[in-house]
Amino acid sequence: DCARFHPRSGARPDLLPPGFAGQGSIVIGSVGRMAAVKNFPGLARAFIHLLRDHPHLKAQVRLVIIGDGEVRQLCQTLLEHAGVADLAWLPGERADIAEWMRVFDIFVLPSLNEGISNTILEAQASGLPVIATAVGGNVELVETDINGRLVEPGDDAALARALLSYAQDAELRARHGAQGRARVEQRFSIPAMACAYEAVYRQALG
């Protein structure tokens, strides 16, 4: 739904805890069921790597993971042990995902296995560059250096490098986000899909 999921216009929606992020902050976001196959601990470790190797980013970069499940506490523990829990927020499940997409500046899906991800499409419709693992349907939705970055599943260092490339380059974030939005409108929006189904039916009916 490209009307419901659309790029941020103006100020960031006021959904984050007070004082968590400033006007110039870069919010790395993810949404999903926090099960082992989604590999959110890998995202937490990549975030830790990013800040360990580039400590100046602690003043700017924040991590938000929306969802709940068996690995949520592990993610929280990893962040706490690394001393960066104050720079991350794991608020649990939320119903207002379209608004949360407009909070984020970068979207990440670190899954070990994945089908065609509606969440990636929602992020792209929201004008976000997407970092995803090169598994399943992700490779059909994310094109490296076009609308995002693909990394190998389980490679925390590669994920950290992809995060760095976007954290350091606002123009790159904007360009890849805009290209993702355009592609979703052209191929995966409700009107586009309706036209595609109609074409199939007309062909089948001769």
Side-chain angles (χ1 to χ4, degrees), residues 107-143:
F107 185 82
V108 183
L109 193 70
S111 307
L112 300 176
N113 190 27
E114 194 68 55
I116 293 292
S117 170
N118 280 337
T119 311
I120 285 181
L121 292 173
E122 290 166 355
Q124 290 175 333
S126 302
L128 297 175
V130 173
I131 302 170
T133 44
V135 297
N138 292 357
V139 298
E140 299 179 41
L141 303 180
V142 178
E143 296 178 80

Side-chain angles (χ1 to χ4, degrees), residues 20-183:
F20 179 73
Q23 186 174 2
S25 294
I26 299 166
V27 179
I28 299 163
S30 193
V31 176
R33 178 173 51 92
M34 297 191 75
V37 70
K38 299 295 185 179
N39 194 31
F40 287 111
L43 174 54
R45 289 190 295 267
F47 181 70
I48 292 164
H49 285 316
L50 175 68
L51 298 183
R52 181 196 63 202
D53 295 342
H54 306 276
H56 65 282
L57 291 177
K58 290 182 179 180
Q60 190 177 22
V61 175
R62 301 292 181 267
L63 174 66
V64 176
I65 304 175
I66 304 294
D68 203 0
E70 63 196 69
V71 301
R72 182 181 172 200
Q73 185 55 55
L74 172 58
C75 291
Q76 190 67 50
T77 300
L78 288 169
L79 294 162
E80 289 171 358
H81 285 175
V84 297
D86 59 325
L87 307 182
W89 193 43
L90 283 61
E93 291 186 8
R94 291 291 186 271
D96 50 348
I97 299 304
E99 288 186 75
W100 275 104
M101 289 293 185
R102 292 187 285 277
V103 170
F104 303 153
D105 298 291
I106 304 163
F107 185 82
V108 183
L109 193 70
S111 307
L112 300 176
N113 190 27
E114 194 68 55
I116 293 292
S117 170
N118 280 337
T119 311
I120 285 181
L121 292 173
E122 290 166 355
Q124 290 175 333
S126 302
L128 297 175
V130 173
I131 302 170
T133 44
V135 297
N138 292 357
V139 298
E140 299 179 41
L141 303 180
V142 178
E143 296 178 80
T144 291
D145 294 329
I146 301 296
N147 59 11
R149 296 266 194 267
L150 287 170
V151 299
E152 290 303 310
D155 191 339
D156 301 340
L159 180 50
R161 289 193 296 272
L163 290 171
L164 178 65
S165 70
Y166 283 127
Q168 292 183 322
D169 195 335
E171 191 278 331
L172 183 66
R173 295 196 302 271
R175 186 171 74 250
H176 285 185
Q179 290 172 163
R181 168 76 183 186
R183 189 170 186 267

